Amino acid sequence: MTTHTNPTGQTAPVVPGDLFARHQTITGLRALADFLEANPAVPVEEYGYDLTFSVRNMDDASAAALVDRTAALLGVEVTDDTHRGGHYIATRTFGRVTYRMVHIPERRRLQYRAETSYRDNITLDDTHQDDQNGDQDTGRAA
């Protein structure tokens, strides 16, 4: 199996299916950069762009290890907000483009599902009526 060596000397296996996605992503980013450079009339976002990679289908320890390895490759520290119910993140900005790898711990995902589990039981009444102050009502729980 082919491996890449990162600056810390660790190696990570390259998954063959990922090579195609990686190639398409790199090709697409280069094509977009070329297009924007050749077409200055096309507007760009003043504050830049985010490219976010969400770690999926891994247990918490494996996902955190992947974020750690990526942070080492990016040359950045991990932001760990898991103690407050947050995420485990590695972020690096290249000009106005930010690459971010995010791991959402299983506990936080389960908490989010529980918090939003009522969603299907609420329907908003979208008819607009004036309230007591003359403002339009934007809807109410039915």
Side-chain angles (χ1 to χ4, degrees):
M1 178 176 279
T2 305
T3 58
H4 292 284
T5 304
N6 71 31
T8 63
Q10 299 170 334
T11 59
V14 174
V15 179
D18 291 347
L19 291 176
F20 185 65
R22 171 178 290 282
H23 173 74
Q24 284 188 319
T25 300
I26 293 167
T27 301
L29 287 169
R30 286 188 178 128
L32 175 60
D34 291 344
F35 173 81
L36 291 173
E37 187 173 54
N39 295 281
V42 174
V44 296
E45 198 56 58
E46 179 181 357
Y47 299 105
Y49 300 89
D50 291 320
L51 180 62
T52 301
F53 179 94
S54 296
V55 180
R56 301 180 194 280
N57 303 321
M58 290 184 161
D59 61 79
D60 284 344
S62 299
L66 178 59
V67 174
D68 288 338
R69 286 191 303 273
T70 302
L73 289 167
L74 292 170
V76 299
E77 297 291 321
V78 169
T79 301
D80 182 358
D81 283 333
T82 57
H83 62 283
R84 295 187 314 198
H87 307 331
Y88 198 72
I89 304 169
T91 304
R92 180 169 174 193
T93 300
F94 301 84
R96 292 192 180 200
V97 178
T98 299
Y99 177 88
R100 178 176 293 113
M101 177 176 275
V102 178
H103 164 56
I104 303 172
E106 178 68 16
R107 188 175 109 207
R108 179 61 188 121
R109 286 193 308 269
L110 292 174
Q111 180 183 4
Y112 176 79
R113 282 188 208 128
E115 290 170 352
T116 60
S117 63
Y118 62 86
R119 186 180 359 203
D120 292 339
N121 297 319
I122 295 177
T123 7
L124 294 179
D125 177 5
D126 62 356
T127 60
H128 297 287
Q129 300 174 1
D130 289 341
D131 67 13
Q132 294 174 0
N133 298 326
D135 296 327
Q136 272 200 342
D137 187 4
T138 58
R140 64 179 184 272

